[in-house]
Amino acid sequence: MIATACLIALAAISLALLLNLYRLAVGPHALDRVLALDTMVINAIGLVVVLGIWFGVTIFFEAALLFAMVGFLSTVAFCKYLLRGNVIE
């Protein structure tokens, strides 16, 4: 039962990643691309968590936390760069 649910979740998250990749490549504005990149990080976190549940390994959850921290910092840095032109004042 868990394996089937994980398989369905992996397929849905993979589809979402592909759609985000499309938005990242075709996005009309830079802000759309930043949002697509942020959503891709969130989907990658979901993918890692689902793999951790499926394999029963807890190290994947720590990797998901690291992805979350790096994703948040990169999104803030991209947005600050787009709004102000520099990251560090």
Side-chain angles (χ1 to χ4, degrees):
M1 184 71 180
I2 292 291
T4 304
C6 288
L7 195 60
I8 292 170
L10 286 176
I13 293 171
S14 299
L15 179 65
L17 271 172
L18 287 176
L19 292 173
N20 287 326
L21 189 63
Y22 172 75
R23 177 56 58 194
L24 184 67
V26 180
H29 304 290
L31 290 177
D32 293 329
R33 291 186 171 125
V34 170
L35 285 174
L37 188 65
D38 186 45
T39 309
M40 282 180 73
V41 169
I42 292 170
N43 286 331
I45 292 167
L47 202 64
V48 169
V49 168
V50 169
L51 285 175
I53 291 170
W54 195 4
F55 294 139
V57 179
T58 58
I59 193 74
F60 286 152
F61 302 127
E62 294 175 13
L65 284 173
L66 290 174
F67 276 143
M69 287 190 305
V70 171
F72 174 74
L73 289 177
S74 65
T75 301
V76 168
F78 275 131
C79 289
K80 196 169 181 180
Y81 179 74
L82 289 175
L83 290 176
R84 297 183 182 170
N86 60 3
V87 177
I88 298 172
E89 296 179 48

